[in-house]
């Protein structure tokens, strides 16, 4: 699901919920069935350190992923900006990553 699409901020007309909608062009996907299986797994994941995917829909050209909006930026960008992290900051991030992936932290 990574960086294979364009993300737009959207607001639900009835509820006012603000979400991120990622548009993924089907033609750019290598294996559409594998992508749909990954979506099915992502839809059932519920963890505080993983962005929540709320729903998906598609048309003939694109698949649209409606996800929790995360405005804090990406970990990669944080690391590029700060350079090396202090040991405590790195330990906190690593613990969150391990917890999110189901490893004992």
């Amino acid at each position: 699901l990574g960086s294979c699409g364009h993300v737009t901020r959207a607001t639900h007309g009835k509820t006012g919920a603000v979400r991120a909608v990622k548009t993924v062009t089907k033609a750019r996907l290598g294996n559409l069935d594998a992508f749909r299986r990954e979506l099915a797994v992502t839809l059932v994941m519920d963890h505080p350190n993983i962005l929540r995917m709320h729903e998906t829909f598609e048309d003939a050209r694109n698949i649209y992923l409606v996800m929790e909006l995360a405005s804090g930026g990406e970990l990669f960008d944080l690391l590029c900006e700060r350079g090396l992290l202090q040991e405590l900051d790195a330990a906190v991030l690593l613990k969150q990553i391990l917890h999110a992936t189901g490893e004992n932290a």
Side-chain angles (χ1 to χ4, degrees):
L1 299 176
S3 60
C4 60
H6 174 74
V7 179
T8 306
R9 183 184 176 119
T11 303
H12 190 280
K14 291 182 181 178
T15 67
V18 179
R19 302 280 187 242
V21 178
K22 180 181 269 191
T23 303
V24 180
T25 305
K26 291 179 182 180
R28 299 185 84 194
L29 295 172
N31 185 335
L32 192 54
D33 290 332
F35 186 77
R36 285 190 175 120
R37 284 192 301 273
E38 186 176 349
L39 290 179
V41 170
T42 305
L43 279 165
V44 298
M45 291 190 325
D46 186 16
H47 189 279
N49 295 329
I50 298 176
L51 286 179
R52 177 97 170 110
M53 184 172 315
H54 294 280
E55 63 180 312
T56 67
F57 56 97
E58 61 185 277
D59 58 24
R61 179 180 284 167
N62 299 310
I63 298 176
Y64 304 92
L65 316 175
V66 181
M67 304 178 299
E68 174 182 2
L69 179 65
S71 58
E74 295 194 25
L75 177 58
F76 179 77
D77 294 334
L78 173 74
L79 294 174
C80 288
E81 179 183 308
R82 286 194 188 173
L84 295 176
L85 295 177
Q86 295 294 318
E87 183 176 351
L88 181 59
D89 294 332
V92 168
L93 288 172
L94 185 58
K95 184 174 182 174
Q96 290 175 346
I97 292 167
L98 291 173
H99 191 259
T101 59
E103 300 296 326
N104 291 331

